[in-house]
Amino acid sequence: MIRKLFYKTPLAWLQMSREKTRLAVAIVGIAFADILMFIQFGFKSALYNAAVRPQYSLQGDIFLINPQFETVFSVKSFPRQRLYQAAGFDGVTSVSYLYIDSGQWRNPITHKDRRILIFGIDPANSAFKLPEVNQHLNDLKMLDSVLFDQMGRSEYGPISALVQQSDLLETQVNNVLIRVAGIFNLGASFAADGNAITSESTFMRLFPNRRTDQIDIGIIKLKSDADIQRVRADIQTILPADIQVLTQAELAIREKEYWANSTPIGFIFGLGSVVAFIVGTVIVYQIIYADVSDHLPEYATLKAMGYSNRYLIIVIFQESLILALIGFIPGCVLSLGVYHAAQISTRLPIMMTASRAVVVLLLTIVMCFISGGIAINKLHKADPADIF
C-alpha cells in the first residue's frame, strides 16, 4: 500500500509541500537566477538586433564597403567611382549611396547637445526602404532639412509632438540651423541614442570636412531574376581591392561580429549568463542538500523497506524538476515586466521570445539537475543500520 502511494504521489512533492518556507526560498532563488539569465540574453539580443536595423532598412541587394569597414558607427569611406563602375555590370538596375557620421543634435527645449547618428542620402534615389523616409524625399531636397527618428531617446526633445504642432520646427546640428521636415522609425542602439536622415547637400554642410566623392556604403539594386551571388562575385573580382562586396545578410553579420568580437559588451553579457547559472545552481544545491540532510532517517527507512538507491535518486531528480518548473514561472513573468521597463527606458528592442523562454527553461532544468546530482552524494550516508 505504501509502495503504491509513493508511485501515485511523487515523494519529492510530498516532502516539499511540508517544507513551505524552504520551498518558497527555492522558488525565489530559481526565479532570481532566471531573471538574471533573461536580462543577459535579452540585452545581448537587443544589442545585435538594434545594431543591424540600419542595414536591413537599406533598399538594395548588394552593398559596397571599404574592406576596413566594421560598423556603421565607425565608418571607412571609399571612392564613389567604384559604385558607378559597378552600375555597368549585367543584372544591375540602379545604384545609390549613403554617407554616415555622428553629429551633435541640440534639444530645442533644453538647448543641450547630444550625439546622434546622421545618414546622408540622395533624395532622388533613396537608400532606404522606410515608407516614412520616402514620403518626405521632396522635403529633403530643400537645403538644411532633416528627418528625425522618433524612436530615439527622449533626451533629443519631444520632436514628434513638436512637428505635429508646427510645420516649421527648427533646431541645430553641429551648430548649423536645420528644419525638421518629418519623422521616421528606426530605433536607438548601444552606440547611437538616435538617428537622423538628410540629403547629401545638407550632410556636407553639417560635416564640411567630408568629401562628396567619398561614400560610406554603396547600394546596388539588381533585377528580380539576377543571381545575387554571381553578380556579387563578378563585381568583387573585376573591381579594385579597395572595396568589398557583400549581400545584405553578410553586411548585417559583419556588424554583429564587430559587437560580439571587437567590443567587451558581448563578452560581458555572456559572462553574466554564466554567473546567473552558477548562482542558481548553488542556491538549488543548498536547498536540496539541506532537505536530504533533514530527511536522512526517512531515506534510511525507505532503504530498510527495500527501496533501492535508484529509486531514491529518482526522488531527488523529481524534486529538482519540480523546483525548476515552479521556479521558472515567476521568473519568466517578472522578466516580462523587466523587459517592458527596459524597453521604455532605453528604446532598445528588448522583448520576450518563445525560443529564449525555452532556452532559459532548459537551462533551469539543467541547473536544478546538476544541483540534485551533487546532493545525491548525501544519500550514501542514509544507512538503515543507523536508525536501529
Side-chain angles (χ1 to χ4, degrees), residues 18 57 77 100 136 176 229 234 262 264 288 305 320 346 365:
R18 293 172 186 152
S57 66
S77 303
I100 308 173
H136 291 281
V176 176
Q229 293 298 335
D234 290 344
S262 301
I288 296 178
M305 294 170 61
S320 300
T346 65
I365 294 174

Side-chain angles (χ1 to χ4, degrees), residues 209-353:
N209 293 329
R210 295 292 302 267
R211 295 167 46 186
T212 57
D213 62 341
Q214 294 288 317
I215 61 176
D216 299 316
I217 298 181
I219 304 168
I220 301 173
K221 195 171 183 180
L222 303 180
K223 297 178 182 178
S224 58
D225 59 346
D227 186 333
I228 295 179
Q229 293 298 335
R230 182 188 61 78
V231 177
R232 170 187 173 278
D234 290 344
I235 296 175
Q236 185 69 77
T237 301
I238 297 176
L239 292 188
D242 57 356
I243 57 101
Q244 187 170 2
V245 188
L246 302 174
T247 65
Q248 194 165 43
E250 291 170 340
L251 187 64
I253 291 174
R254 192 184 188 92
E255 187 80 23
K256 287 184 177 181
E257 288 178 346
Y258 169 80
W259 289 103
N261 303 322
S262 301
T263 69
I265 296 178
F267 173 77
I268 290 172
F269 286 138
L271 180 61
S273 303
V274 174
V275 171
F277 183 86
I278 294 175
V279 169
T281 302
V282 172
I283 292 174
V284 177
Y285 165 72
Q286 291 178 335
I287 296 295
I288 296 178
Y289 183 86
D291 183 75
V292 172
S293 299
D294 292 346
H295 295 88
L296 273 182
E298 286 86 346
Y299 285 117
T301 301
L302 290 174
K303 283 187 176 182
M305 294 170 61
Y307 287 92
S308 64
N309 282 329
R310 179 176 176 274
Y311 174 81
L312 299 181
I313 290 174
I314 292 175
V315 170
I316 297 298
F317 280 118
Q318 281 182 343
E319 182 175 355
S320 300
L321 179 60
I322 293 172
L323 287 175
L325 295 177
I326 61 179
F328 171 79
I329 295 173
C332 184
V333 173
L334 291 173
S335 296
L336 289 172
V338 174
Y339 279 4
H340 180 68
Q343 188 173 32
I344 294 176
S345 176
T346 65
R347 301 296 181 90
L348 292 173
I350 306 173
M351 59 194 70
M352 182 66 70
T353 62

Side-chain angles (χ1 to χ4, degrees), residues 163-207:
V163 168
Q164 293 177 358
Q165 296 172 9
S166 173
D167 293 333
L168 186 62
L169 173 61
E170 294 183 335
T171 186
Q172 291 187 13
V173 176
N174 291 351
N175 296 318
V176 176
L177 186 65
I178 57 94
R179 180 179 73 91
V180 180
I183 58 176
F184 66 99
N185 297 294
L186 185 59
S189 67
F190 276 75
D193 294 332
N195 307 281
I197 297 175
T198 189
S199 67
E200 175 187 354
S201 300
T202 302
F203 185 90
M204 294 303 161
R205 277 176 52 81
L206 299 178
F207 304 96

Side-chain angles (χ1 to χ4, degrees), residues 110-181:
T110 65
H111 302 292
K112 292 183 178 180
D113 289 343
R114 191 175 186 87
R115 181 172 174 267
I116 192 170
L117 194 67
I118 301 177
F119 300 95
I121 65 173
D122 177 8
N125 188 12
S126 176
F128 289 94
K129 57 185 176 184
L130 301 173
E132 305 93 343
V133 174
N134 295 330
Q135 289 172 3
H136 291 281
L137 292 179
N138 287 330
D139 295 324
L140 288 182
K141 292 178 181 179
M142 298 179 59
L143 193 63
D144 299 335
S145 295
V146 304
L147 303 179
F148 178 79
D149 179 10
Q150 66 175 348
M151 293 178 65
R153 291 180 59 85
S154 59
E155 286 81 357
Y156 294 107
I159 305 300
S160 179
L162 293 175
V163 168
Q164 293 177 358
Q165 296 172 9
S166 173
D167 293 333
L168 186 62
L169 173 61
E170 294 183 335
T171 186
Q172 291 187 13
V173 176
N174 291 351
N175 296 318
V176 176
L177 186 65
I178 57 94
R179 180 179 73 91
V180 180

